[in-house]
Amino acid sequence: MTKNISVKLPDNSQIEIEKNSDFFQLAENIGPRLAKDAIAARTDGKLVDLKKKVPDKSSVGIITFHNDDIGKKIYWHSTSHIMAQAVKSLFRDVKLGIGPPIEHGFYYDFEKK
């Protein structure tokens, strides 16, 4: 018999999930669209990766691009790194500059050697 844990969602409702579930699995339990859109999670006020295990009796929220400004920042930060790696793989002699997220996206500076 699998034990369950209980967590509190942002609307103050409670949900039970299998012990040792990660935040992505929690999102799947809530709904397939949420799981598809999930970027990160927040538990007891701390940001966590979706593969982190959900603690019992915690307050949790799933972060998406659309429901949380921090979701946009995480997305833009991650995609700037992906773009930098893609440019570096195409142009091996390029020097990477800075690439921070900004208010409505991100940018990256590149320098040709």
Side-chain angles (χ1 to χ4, degrees), residues 84 87-88 91-98 108-113:
V87 169
K88 190 78 172 153
F91 306 99
R92 299 206 188 288
D93 62 340
V94 75
K95 182 179 177 185
L96 301 178
I98 58 172
Y108 221 108
D109 289 335
F110 299 97
E111 181 181 333
K112 186 176 179 184
K113 291 181 184 178

Side-chain angles (χ1 to χ4, degrees), residues 36-104:
K36 182 178 182 269
D37 291 348
I39 292 175
R42 185 177 282 118
T43 182
D44 297 324
K46 295 188 300 186
L47 290 174
V48 294
D49 186 270
L50 292 170
K51 288 299 173 186
K52 185 169 174 58
K53 301 296 182 200
V54 179
D56 191 18
K57 297 183 176 87
S58 58
S59 295
V60 301
I62 303 299
I63 295 172
T64 72
F65 185 88
H66 302 289
N67 75 357
D68 196 313
D69 284 342
I70 195 69
K72 290 176 178 63
K73 290 178 183 176
I74 293 167
Y75 180 83
W76 290 326
H77 180 89
S78 298
T79 53
S80 71
H81 286 289
I82 293 167
M83 183 186 68
Q85 289 298 54
V87 169
K88 190 78 172 153
S89 72
L90 292 171
F91 306 99
R92 299 206 188 288
D93 62 340
V94 75
K95 182 179 177 185
L96 301 178
I98 58 172
I102 55 176
E103 186 178 358
H104 296 290

